[in-house]
Amino acid sequence: MPSSIHTGYPEPQGLYDPAQERDACGVGFVANIDGTPSHAIIERGIEVLKNLLHRGATGGDMNTGDGAGISIQIPDAFFRRKCLAFDLPEPGRYGVGMLFLPDSPDFRKLCMGIVETTATEEGLAFLGWRETPTNADCLGDKARREKPVVFQCFVKSPFSDAVAFERKLYVVRKEIEHRVAAVRPSRENFYIPSFSSRTMVFKGLLMATQVPAFYPDLTDPALTSAMAVVHQRYSTNTFPSWNLAQPFRFLAHNGEINTLKGNISQMRAREQSLQSDLFGPDIRKLLPIIDAGGSDSACLDNALELLTLGGRPLPQAMMMLIPEAWGVKYPIGPDLRGFFEYHAGLMEPWDGPATVVFTDGTRVGALLDRNGLRPARYTLTRDGFIVLASEAGVLDFAPETILEKGALRPGQMILADLSLKRVLKNGEIKATCARRQPYRRWVEENKITLHGFFDAVAPIQPDTERLFSRQLFFGYTREDRRTILEPMAARGYEPVGSMGSDTPLAVLSEKPQLLFAYFKQLFAQVTNPPIDSIREELVMTLMTFIGNPPNILSEIPQNSRLVKLRHPILSNEDLHRLRTLHLKEFSVATLPIGFPGGGSGADLENALEALCRMAEDAVLAGQTLLILSDRDLPADQAAIPSLLAVSAVNRHLAAKGLRTGSGLIVETGEAREIMGFATLLGYGASAIH
């Protein structure tokens, strides 16, 4: 990934790559439940932020933070007093863009011209600019060197519908980003923290105490809001920047998205198939949905922005992205189980650990992921105030003023709806979302039941005559047989070795290595215990789906027309039943994965290109189940490494916009340990035999 889009990052060097940016932080929100804007909300939000200071970190100069910020509602009265050079329409009929602009006057003028031109071409009336007052004296050396110039721009809505205006502002922002990147690919010091008619974001490479000092507007009594979302960033093995400070446009996040690579790959695979009556032809202007320069939190925000402005209610979009546990043994109602099963085939989980605070300007809430490994504690007061944060004690209250104190449990959500003037708890929120459409009926009517699937496995008749030749063909060693296969066959679990791993890197080995071995260092080696899907079956599942619909913006019964696999490892009988489904929408093609034995690298490359073309032709012909098989290859052929084959086909189909509706099944004699199976699944396999 080019580092140029990571403003303030160094170039990739050695083992450092700016694509690996992640963070784990302090997060919270405050709100007047009745929706009354006040400056006190901003003051209390900043107080929460300062009390989360210990959850942030500082740079080498001890005065540059990893990032901090606050998101508030558009302060209409404040802007009417400050923006005297132009007339503002009534609240909700104008949008405010918060922009980080470059120091270079020429480039800044170019960027501002692009903003004005784009807004006008998209049908918005451009009203004017306001340079946001800032105080660089409070910054550390690094933050001061990288500081952008902060401006606000104002545009007028041509819509009577407030949501349609928000949707257009989203399109305008994305189009501005594309145009700036086209004239200056580095986009140095150009970033749009927010562009909305409802919310605006004040953030930067700051410590919590520096936020109100750097942005004097925040201390002006005329600046009011009914809610505030705050965030103090602690960068975990990352490189802080002004752009990656939080809050983002819709959310602030404490934790990590550990499924990020898969989430981004899936979103990219869907992009060419996205359709929406709400966006119309504007949907093409939004691509790519995920900003390649974002952190894991920023990528999650990109996905939430698309779903919310694409028609999903904000709580439902959060439930799609970060679902609670809903396995067979988890105590959950049938309607809610139907909701999660329907959406599981539509959107893969963005798995944490994560506490996420989110807002669209009229509602503000928080969600804890299904494993519950991050704290989220809240307090409700008798005078209609709510605060939620990463820990208790961020604000002081007299005991008699407290109405309720609590903490979110795994998978739970809380929401303050400022338009309804009430707080909604987990049960009410999810019951409302689950009954918004007949999801349970859609799942029951469209599920594909394969009778006998995953039943008792029939006895295997060993092919003893060809056993040794097959072991040679797939590179089995004596160690594989004795230390891997024998314990698994005899005792039914993965062989356990010594604590830690002193295995040298495969790339440094003098002996031939399976392709799987080169990817072991990609798996997390952190202090959190590994999650065992058997011991943790209450919250974990190995369920996979084949036939996932590509358009995540639609809500139709056909989205649940899927083959559901209880787990992704198939027996001989399982694969036979898939091959004999006799369903038009799930016809099967078997593609051999071989190349000339003793051939050169060019022969392997040619074989991969031919395999990708065969896969593309098969999908275009309506064959949506592709079995990549190295079984019974011709005598003059060697097997393409199964990981190489599945990753190549996966990427090719994704680039052609054909991946999400098809399933890739790998039939291979090469994978023999857990790492091999996990890697195949991680790089695109839907199931493995």
Side-chain angles (χ1 to χ4, degrees):
M1 177 186 297
S3 68
S4 57
I5 53 178
H6 296 264
T7 303
Y9 285 9
E11 293 293 324
Q13 53 185 308
L15 297 178
Y16 173 76
D17 184 345
Q20 306 301 322
E21 293 299 313
R22 299 191 180 186
D23 44 60
C25 336
V27 66
F29 75 80
V30 295
N32 286 328
I33 299 169
D34 64 2
T36 304
S38 68
H39 185 64
I41 283 292
I42 295 172
E43 291 178 327
R44 299 182 93 171
I46 291 173
E47 185 179 353
V48 171
L49 187 59
K50 290 179 178 179
N51 286 330
L52 293 173
L53 179 64
H54 60 285
R55 285 187 170 267
T58 58
D61 61 17
M62 300 305 292
N63 205 28
T64 295
D66 277 3
I70 182 170
S71 175
I72 64 172
Q73 292 176 318
I74 298 292
D76 180 67
F78 174 82
F79 282 135
R80 292 187 186 281
R81 199 180 76 177
K82 296 291 184 179
C83 302
L84 301 178
F86 48 87
D87 294 328
L88 288 174
E90 61 269 24
R93 294 299 304 277
Y94 67 92
V96 182
M98 195 78 162
L99 286 87
F100 289 168
L101 297 173
D103 286 328
S104 165
D106 292 340
F107 187 30
R108 182 163 69 246
K109 183 178 179 181
L110 175 64
C111 292
M112 296 172 79
I114 290 174
V115 172
E116 295 179 23
T117 301
T118 305
T120 302
E121 290 179 357
E122 291 292 335
L124 306 181
F126 191 86
L127 299 176
W129 292 95
R130 174 180 182 254
E131 183 171 2
T132 307
T134 57
N135 175 22
D137 294 340
C138 68
L139 301 180
D141 293 338
K142 173 178 166 54
R144 190 181 299 111
R145 285 195 306 270
E146 299 175 7
K147 180 186 75 68
V149 178
V150 186
F151 268 79
Q152 292 156 354
C153 70
F154 297 78
V155 294
K156 182 179 178 180
S157 171
F159 304 98
S160 57
D161 180 5
V163 179
F165 184 33
E166 280 293 295
R167 195 173 295 119
K168 176 56 73 171
L169 290 173
Y170 174 34
V171 172
V172 170
R173 193 197 85 235
K174 295 289 283 190
E175 186 69 5
I176 290 169
E177 291 170 349
H178 297 332
R179 294 184 181 188
V180 171
V183 297
R184 188 67 70 93
S186 64
R187 281 198 272 163
E188 53 195 63
N189 272 16
F190 179 83
Y191 177 75
I192 305 178
S194 61
F195 203 171
S196 171
S197 63
R198 297 174 175 176
T199 60
M200 61 186 305
V201 175
F202 296 84
K203 69 175 187 177
L205 197 57
L206 308 167
M207 299 169 64
T209 52
Q210 294 170 341
V211 173
F214 181 73
Y215 290 108
D217 282 352
L218 292 172
T219 61
D220 191 319
L223 193 81
T224 62
S225 175
M227 67 86 199
V229 170
V230 298
H231 189 275
Q232 171 70 61
R233 187 169 189 253
Y234 181 92
S235 303
T236 309
N237 300 324
T238 63
F239 201 89
S241 74
W242 280 81
N243 298 359
L244 293 183
Q246 298 188 45
F248 292 111
R249 298 163 188 113
F250 273 77
L251 62 78
H253 169 222
N254 170 28
E256 292 182 340
I257 302 299
N258 286 323
T259 54
L260 184 65
K261 282 191 175 182
N263 298 134
I264 294 175
S265 296
Q266 288 281 74
M267 289 296 289
R268 286 176 179 161
R270 297 185 182 104
E271 286 181 346
Q272 299 306 316
S273 302
L274 290 176
Q275 296 180 11
S276 169
D277 292 337
L278 297 174
F279 284 109
D282 281 350
I283 195 78
R284 300 295 107 195
K285 299 175 182 177
L286 303 178
L287 307 183
I289 299 300
I290 305 296
D291 183 356
S295 63
D296 53 341
S297 306
C299 294
L300 177 61
D301 185 76
N302 292 157
L304 177 61
E305 186 174 34
L306 173 70
L307 292 174
T308 302
L309 296 176
R312 296 294 200 289
L314 180 62
Q316 180 181 351
M318 287 304 309
M319 291 164 64
M320 286 178 64
L321 293 166
I322 307 178
E324 72 169 288
W326 57 276
V328 176
K329 296 188 177 181
Y330 197 82
I332 192 173
D335 286 340
L336 196 53
R337 190 185 305 278
F339 171 92
F340 284 118
E341 184 166 350
Y342 174 85
H343 288 93
L346 201 62
M347 168 64 69
E348 69 288 343
W350 292 60
D351 263 339
T355 295
V356 179
V357 170
F358 53 89
T359 184
D360 61 3
T362 60
R363 291 166 291 187
V364 59
L367 171 67
L368 184 61
D369 77 297
R370 57 185 168 182
N371 289 300
L373 298 178
R374 289 292 182 271
R377 303 182 182 278
Y378 66 87
T379 300
L380 292 167
T381 67
R382 298 185 184 279
D383 60 355
F385 175 81
I386 181 173
V387 56
L388 179 142
S390 298
E391 55 198 66
V394 290
L395 291 177
D396 293 327
F397 298 99
E400 63 273 11
T401 66
I402 297 174
L403 179 65
E404 179 184 343
K405 298 175 77 172
L408 296 184
R409 300 179 63 188
Q412 287 191 344
M413 182 187 297
I414 191 170
L415 185 73
D417 192 318
L418 309 186
S419 59
L420 296 178
K421 305 182 187 303
R422 54 189 294 259
V423 172
L424 286 69
K425 298 292 184 61
N426 185 70
E428 181 180 0
I429 298 168
K430 292 182 176 176
T432 301
C433 290
R435 292 167 187 164
R436 184 170 168 268
Q437 299 278 13
Y439 301 111
R440 178 171 57 141
R441 177 164 58 82
W442 287 354
V443 168
E444 291 173 351
E445 291 178 351
N446 288 279
K447 66 182 178 182
I448 297 173
T449 303
L450 304 180
H451 296 288
F453 214 71
F454 295 108
D455 281 352
V457 177
I460 302 297
Q461 297 298 324
D463 184 355
T464 54
E465 291 185 3
R466 293 197 296 168
L467 178 59
F468 183 66
S469 63
R470 286 183 171 182
Q471 289 174 342
L472 289 176
F473 186 79
F474 291 110
Y476 281 71
T477 65
R478 187 179 304 163
E479 183 181 15
D480 290 336
R481 292 167 54 192
R482 291 183 177 177
T483 64
I484 296 175
L485 296 179
E486 185 178 314
M488 288 197 292
R491 295 187 290 277
Y493 57 79
E494 184 180 9
V496 178
S498 62
M499 287 290 290
S501 175
D502 57 0
T503 306
L505 296 174
V507 71
L508 301 178
S509 176
E510 296 178 357
K511 296 183 178 181
Q513 298 282 339
L514 295 176
L515 187 57
F516 305 123
Y518 290 84
F519 293 83
K520 284 194 174 182
Q521 275 66 32
L522 284 182
F523 285 72
Q525 299 175 8
V526 294
T527 54
N528 290 340
I531 294 178
D532 186 321
S533 62
I534 296 175
R535 291 177 180 151
E536 305 287 342
E537 63 179 336
L538 195 65
V539 295
M540 295 296 295
T541 179
L542 294 178
M543 183 183 297
T544 57
F545 295 89
I546 298 177
N548 305 66
N551 186 18
I552 57 174
L553 299 180
S554 68
E555 275 197 307
I556 54 177
Q558 290 75 18
N559 284 346
S560 55
R561 186 70 170 166
L562 306 170
V563 174
K564 182 172 68 174
L565 306 178
R566 273 174 33 208
H567 59 72
I569 310 302
L570 308 179
S571 68
N572 287 330
E573 294 82 1
D574 297 333
L575 191 61
H576 174 71
R577 292 185 181 107
L578 280 175
R579 279 191 164 119
T580 57
L581 273 177
H582 303 304
L583 294 172
K584 181 180 178 181
E585 60 267 56
F586 291 104
S587 59
V588 180
T590 300
L591 309 180
I593 52 174
F595 73 106
S600 65
D603 291 324
L604 176 58
E605 186 175 353
N606 292 336
L608 282 170
E609 291 176 355
L611 175 64
C612 291
R613 287 194 300 270
M614 285 192 294
E616 180 183 350
D617 293 342
V619 175
L620 291 174
Q623 295 168 305
T624 54
L625 281 182
L626 306 183
I627 300 176
L628 308 183
S629 177
D630 56 27
R631 180 190 285 272
D632 297 331
L633 292 174
D636 62 344
Q637 286 200 349
I640 298 174
S642 55
L643 181 60
L644 187 60
V646 73
S647 60
V649 172
N650 180 67
R651 287 177 64 89
H652 181 78
L653 293 180
K656 298 294 183 180
L658 302 172
R659 178 62 186 93
T660 51
S662 56
L664 293 183
I665 298 172
V666 181
E667 181 182 32
T668 180
E670 183 186 25
R672 58 261 211 177
E673 57 178 313
I674 304 301
M675 171 69 193
F677 289 94
T679 311
L680 284 170
L681 293 168
Y683 279 87
S686 306
I688 305 164
H689 171 52

